[in-house]
Amino acid sequence: MTTLTLAKALNEGLRRSMEDDSKVLVMGEDVGKLGGVFRVTDGLQKDFGEDRVIDTPLAESGIIGTAIGLALRGYRPVCEIQFDGFVFPAVNQIITQLAKMPLRSLGALKLPVVVRIPCGGGIGAVEHHSESPEAYFTHTAGLRVVACSNPADGYSMIQEAIRADDPIIFFEPKRRYWDKSEVDLTATGLPLDQARVARPGADITLLAYGPMVKTCLEAAAAAAEDGRDIEVIDLRSLNPLDMGMVAESVKRTGRCVVVHEAPVFTGYGAELAARITEQCFYHLESPVLRVGGFSTPYPPSRLEEYYLPDLDRVLDTVDRAFAY
Amino acid sequence: MTSDAPRGVDAPPELVQLLTPEGERVEHPDYDIELTDEEVRSLYRDLVLVRRIDLEAVALQRQGELGIWASLLGQEAAQIGSGRALTDADMAFPTYREHGVAWCRDVDPVRLLGLFRGVNHGGWDPAEHNFHLYTIVIGSQTLHAVGYAMGIQRDGAEAATIAYFGDGATSQGDVNESFIWASVFNAPVVFFCQNNQWAISEPLEKQSKIPLYKRASGFGFPGVRVDGNDVFACLAVTRKALQNAREGQGPTLIEAFTYRMGAHTTSDDPTRYRVADELEAWKLKDPIERLKAYLFKNQLADQEFFDKVDAEADALGKDVRRRCLELPDPEPEALFQHVYAAQHSLLDEERDQYLTYLAGFER
């Protein structure tokens, strides 16, 4: 076991993938000499060279578009989008090209491209540096969408994502980059499309992914002091969704709260609520409730503590679920 | 281009031309081409056959057998000239109008028709032909061509890519980003812009205030304007640009100056935005007629040859039509196929539920 930050765990995962497969490339803005603005690619260019760790021009559509071309030539590019809000210039390439080519070719083409996106708020940043755009991508057939929440998962999930033959949008919770935990560098992680019980519990299920897993675990720890036994599920994969684990948990606890930073309205939680209602209807003691961002643009940083779901808002919603 | 003459009728002075509209062979200081008589006849045959395929496809659309068709009429020389410049190892990235290039890459024309008939969204294996799938979002494929070229660089291979796009596409961000990428990475790519003067209803002036080939200099690589209705010049210019790319000299922008003689697609009505004189003037520059005149004048072919090619074209048209009509409609299950390379639980669930639902009607 080694103690690593999430950023370092991802770095180690990338390094191992590059060692294992010479076709793996890293590309993006400032990923080379600088090692990325969050240092996730630190030292990779020094060890693997400029042909494999590519500092690109500052154009996100260009990053994804050329990664597609490299993938067509047999490479496995891992693209870094510097911040969540900067992915939008690349959205055309992601949605109309990356996601659609396997179908367009009737399966002749595979596009093993990983698009890493540091996501979410909580770091006091300016506009476009704190967003949670996952629903745009989960709504797009042809993409797989995952979100890691902790160093051990970061280490294994990035390697799984690189090995996969489908395009993957890989969300990394940027405010958790510096959180440390134990990582077994010899372990093989869970399959990429499986959820994980982050904390077992009997009274209510919290569903979260990425940055909100930690918030939910803190909420569960606080609730335990009041004698409430909360189960926290880290979804890990948003598309596909490990509905089996979700349904099993909610049927057992009878209550469910979904937590994400993205706006609640037509957010990922809406899909979860609808599916749980359909599949667990006779087991539910209360409606599925959601905690998340408001129907506003992401606020200036002096307001983000009011916008982001925190321990109190999560527990308030848990209370509401029990009040039914 | 003068304001009172029909568009493009006064050939721009910087145009690379090896065969005049009258079928006269002319010299150019930078470009030359040596072809055997058989090769010249073969180019003529290609031009006639792809025009025939195109004509048949338009007819099929008019008869309700295709949803839409994007005609290449008038652009045959640009496509055959550039397409025949490619080696097997080179990789082409087309728009949705490159039926002539597809022909050069041995893609069965019926595959192209399948897309426009709606039986699939493409359906050929790009790696089998080194001809990528048709790309409908304007300009997106230029970045793919550059990325693929960067892969060629990393493989140390003797090959290049060619990115096809139109005059309208030059306004797209992706095309401009692809120029930047190709330039700074010195990627082995040729940008082949067919300037057919019209982006649906918008004339070139809506896209650029300077000749398109001159855009290249701002990005740091050479640009050249070629007579897009001259198959010799298109072949010579593309061949040289590809060779330069393969030898590590980086990208070239080729502007093939041509004319879209038909509508943008079968859904379009060009009489709403352009004058008939323009088309009449461009008919005098027809890419097939000038090569035919050259073959005749130089006694490289006789009437028997032309009749034979015409008969072959008719037979091809008939064959393409027959096989298009025989294309089976896909089964409903095809909805769910090839969306992902690996197994996907959500899709499996939706497919199973839907097929069960459909099976209910058969009881």
Side-chain angles (χ1 to χ4, degrees), chain A:
Chain A
M1 285 289 197
T2 318
T3 303
L4 296 177
T5 63
L6 173 59
K8 185 62 181 166
L10 289 162
N11 178 273
E12 288 294 334
L14 285 167
R15 175 178 294 279
R16 195 158 152 195
S17 294
M18 295 187 80
E19 284 166 356
D20 290 349
D21 184 350
S22 64
K23 293 292 187 184
V24 176
L25 308 176
V26 165
M27 54 196 293
E29 297 159 4
D30 305 299
V31 297
K33 264 212 173 90
L34 182 68
V37 294
F38 293 107
R39 307 294 182 266
V40 172
T41 58
D42 190 31
L44 297 179
Q45 191 182 65
K46 185 172 145 284
D47 294 340
F48 295 99
E50 291 182 21
D51 275 354
R52 292 190 63 196
V53 181
I54 307 168
D55 270 326
T56 67
L58 265 69
E60 288 76 11
S61 188
I63 294 171
I64 304 302
T66 53
I68 290 169
L70 281 156
L72 293 173
R73 183 74 193 178
Y75 287 86
R76 304 182 91 85
V78 184
C79 303
E80 177 171 305
I81 299 294
Q82 202 159 65
F83 284 89
D84 34 60
F86 303 169
V87 74
F88 298 107
V91 161
N92 167 56
Q93 283 288 345
I94 293 173
I95 291 181
T96 74
Q97 305 302 315
L98 184 61
K100 305 294 196 292
M101 265 184 213
L103 175 67
R104 205 176 286 154
S105 68
L106 301 184
L109 297 180
K110 293 183 173 68
L111 272 292
V113 176
V114 178
V115 182
R116 294 181 38 242
I117 307 178
C119 69
I123 64 162
V126 295
E127 204 181 358
H128 313 305
H129 290 66
S130 306
E131 296 170 13
S132 300
E134 62 270 16
Y136 298 116
F137 301 106
T138 57
H139 197 64
T140 299
L143 300 176
R144 290 172 189 266
V145 181
V146 303
C148 62
S149 69
N150 64 82
D153 269 357
Y155 176 69
S156 69
M157 286 172 72
I158 191 67
Q159 294 180 67
E160 288 284 324
I162 292 167
R163 264 197 293 274
D165 281 334
D166 284 310
I168 293 185
I169 308 296
F170 193 97
F171 284 107
E172 301 169 2
K174 68 173 83 75
R175 69 164 131 160
R176 310 296 185 208
Y177 271 142
W178 304 281
D179 288 1
K180 286 183 184 171
S181 68
E182 296 278 288
V183 180
D184 180 355
L185 295 178
T186 61
T188 322
L190 288 174
L192 200 57
D193 56 2
Q194 279 186 18
R196 174 180 71 94
V197 177
R199 177 194 171 109
D203 299 340
I204 184 168
T205 302
L206 293 187
L207 299 178
Y209 50 89
M212 285 293 102
V213 174
K214 185 178 179 184
T215 304
C216 288
L217 288 171
E218 288 168 353
E225 292 171 17
D226 297 333
R228 195 164 269 167
D229 191 14
I230 294 180
E231 176 148 305
V232 179
I233 291 181
D234 179 355
L235 293 175
R236 297 171 82 252
S237 175
L238 305 185
N239 186 1
L241 165 67
D242 186 355
M243 192 59 202
M245 176 173 285
V246 170
E248 185 282 321
S249 174
V250 176
K251 283 178 181 171
R252 186 161 36 75
T253 63
R255 289 183 171 82
C256 180
V257 172
V258 183
V259 187
H260 55 54
E261 289 189 17
V264 165
F265 185 73
T266 64
Y268 190 72
E271 180 63 33
L272 289 168
R275 284 186 178 260
I276 291 165
T277 303
E278 191 176 334
Q279 294 188 27
C280 312
F281 189 71
Y282 292 111
H283 298 79
L284 287 172
E285 303 290 339
S286 64
V288 179
L289 299 180
R290 291 168 288 162
V291 192
F294 302 109
S295 299
T296 67
Y298 195 88
S301 61
R302 299 280 171 177
L303 284 171
E304 71 180 341
E305 66 174 299
Y306 304 109
Y307 176 91
L308 290 168
D310 61 6
L311 184 148
D312 288 333
R313 274 178 68 201
V314 171
L315 290 180
D316 177 65
T317 311
V318 167
D319 287 345
R320 282 173 50 217
F322 277 99
Y324 274 89

Side-chain angles (χ1 to χ4, degrees), chain B residues 90 152-153 156-161 185-190 238-252:
Chain B
D90 295 334
I152 290 172
Q153 279 179 313
E158 177 88 10
T161 65
F185 292 110
N186 203 42
V189 55
V190 173
T238 312
R239 201 176 257 175
K240 190 166 180 179
L242 286 165
Q243 191 52 32
N244 288 346
R246 291 186 211 106
E247 289 169 359
Q249 295 179 55
T252 302

Side-chain angles (χ1 to χ4, degrees), chain B residues 34-350:
Chain B
E34 286 194 16
L35 296 166
T36 65
D37 296 350
E38 186 50 43
E39 284 170 332
V40 177
R41 285 192 291 267
S42 171
L43 288 172
Y44 175 82
R45 174 179 170 268
D46 284 339
L47 296 174
V48 171
L49 295 187
V50 299
R51 180 170 287 187
R52 189 64 179 81
I53 293 165
D54 189 75
L55 188 71
E56 199 63 42
V58 171
L60 282 163
Q61 193 282 333
R62 294 294 183 235
Q63 292 155 4
E65 298 294 344
L66 301 181
I68 193 171
W69 179 253
S71 169
L72 63 37
L73 188 65
Q75 298 175 222
E76 296 87 351
Q79 296 193 13
I80 296 298
S82 60
R84 287 292 175 214
L86 298 164
T87 65
D88 287 348
D90 295 334
M91 180 76 186
F93 287 83
T95 71
Y96 45 77
R97 203 188 296 279
E98 265 64 75
H99 321 313
V101 187
W103 173 257
C104 295
R105 303 307 274 175
D106 291 329
V107 177
D108 183 347
V110 177
R111 297 265 181 170
L112 310 178
L113 296 180
L115 185 165
F116 293 94
R117 188 170 167 86
V119 301
N120 57 45
H121 287 323
W124 58 90
D125 180 355
E128 191 187 328
H129 302 278
N130 270 5
F131 182 76
H132 192 63
L133 298 159
Y134 275 5
T135 299
I136 292 177
V137 176
I138 301 297
S140 295
Q141 73 282 2
T142 56
L143 283 167
H144 310 158
V146 174
Y148 195 97
M150 290 167 69
I152 290 172
Q153 279 179 313
R154 278 156 183 74
D155 295 341
E158 177 88 10
T161 65
I162 186 165
Y164 288 92
F165 53 100
D167 40 297
T170 63
S171 299
Q172 284 281 355
D174 276 2
V175 173
N176 288 273
E177 289 184 25
S178 73
F179 288 176
I180 291 166
W181 241 265
S183 175
V184 300
F185 292 110
N186 203 42
V189 55
V190 173
F191 296 107
F192 195 89
C193 175
Q194 288 166 84
N195 173 5
N196 69 13
Q197 314 300 328
W198 291 95
I200 306 188
S201 70
E202 296 195 3
L204 185 63
E205 301 91 270
K206 297 283 183 194
Q207 318 294 338
S208 186
K209 292 196 78 166
I210 62 165
L212 293 175
Y213 75 98
K214 289 192 175 175
R215 293 258 183 100
S217 70
F219 293 91
F221 53 87
V224 55
R225 179 181 264 178
V226 61
D227 183 341
N229 289 12
D230 171 354
V231 71
F232 292 165
C234 288
L235 178 57
V237 168
T238 312
R239 201 176 257 175
K240 190 166 180 179
L242 286 165
Q243 191 52 32
N244 288 346
R246 291 186 211 106
E247 289 169 359
Q249 295 179 55
T252 302
L253 169 62
I254 299 171
E255 177 192 0
F257 201 80
T258 182
Y259 190 72
R260 195 193 78 208
M261 292 176 81
H264 164 70
T265 66
T266 46
S267 303
D268 178 36
D269 174 11
T271 64
R272 290 178 71 96
Y273 53 81
R274 68 185 190 188
V275 296
D277 282 4
E278 195 175 289
L279 178 60
E280 292 308 312
W282 273 94
K283 278 183 181 168
L284 300 175
K285 302 178 173 204
D286 187 280
I288 297 181
E289 289 307 315
R290 77 172 72 179
L291 190 58
K292 191 173 188 179
Y294 173 80
L295 285 165
F296 249 135
K297 278 181 200 168
N298 293 281
Q299 296 177 326
L300 301 180
D302 54 17
Q303 191 56 45
E304 192 187 340
F305 168 77
F306 295 117
D307 291 345
K308 212 177 108 194
V309 172
D310 286 345
E312 188 184 359
D314 284 340
L316 176 63
K318 280 197 188 106
D319 176 61
V320 163
R321 162 175 292 267
R322 179 183 58 78
R323 290 190 297 124
C324 174
L325 298 180
E326 284 172 6
L327 282 172
D329 279 346
E331 295 296 320
E333 196 173 353
L335 281 170
F336 304 96
Q337 289 168 345
H338 309 304
V339 180
Y340 294 93
Q343 191 258 345
H344 189 280
S345 54
L346 174 68
L347 215 54
D348 290 349
E349 183 189 315
E350 289 185 1

